[in-house]
Amino acid sequence: MSSRSTRLTILHLSVLLAFIVAPRRSEGQLEEWCIADEQVPDDELQRALDWACGKGGADCGDIQVKRPCFYPNTVRDHASYAFNSYYQKFKHKGASCFFNSAAMVTALDPSHGSCKFEYVP
């Protein structure tokens, strides 16, 4: 098997796996959550988090102390929760998961423990 055909086989398997693993709704729509991009520095995430929880109108109550999504207590985790809250709340009104390039869409549910990330079909 040539190197090119091996790469094509791996690519085909990767695409197939993405369709198998990605959650789908009954009408064929992929489920999507909005999370902080791992490569963005904390100071940029903090600015975007402040906007999302302030003027953006995200529901940031669950990332407050003694709430289910406070831990892990990191800017990145709190930003992910806030970005997703904003995105789910306003995506049907044209909102995007951008936050000045600080966020990205994922098909993997970022919920953990008692912290549940909302998904709105």
Side-chain angles (χ1 to χ4, degrees), residues 42-57:
D42 281 357
D43 61 323
E44 290 180 40
L45 290 176
Q46 186 65 59
R47 282 191 294 276
L49 169 62
D50 292 343
W51 181 87
C53 291
K55 291 181 181 178

Side-chain angles (χ1 to χ4, degrees), residues 52-81:
C53 291
K55 291 181 181 178
D59 179 1
C60 296
D62 279 350
I63 56 175
Q64 303 305 310
V65 176
K66 297 185 180 180
R67 296 300 304 262
C69 298
F70 180 71
Y71 291 108
N73 182 15
T74 67
V75 172
R76 187 164 321 284
D77 285 286
H78 288 186
S80 289
Y81 187 86

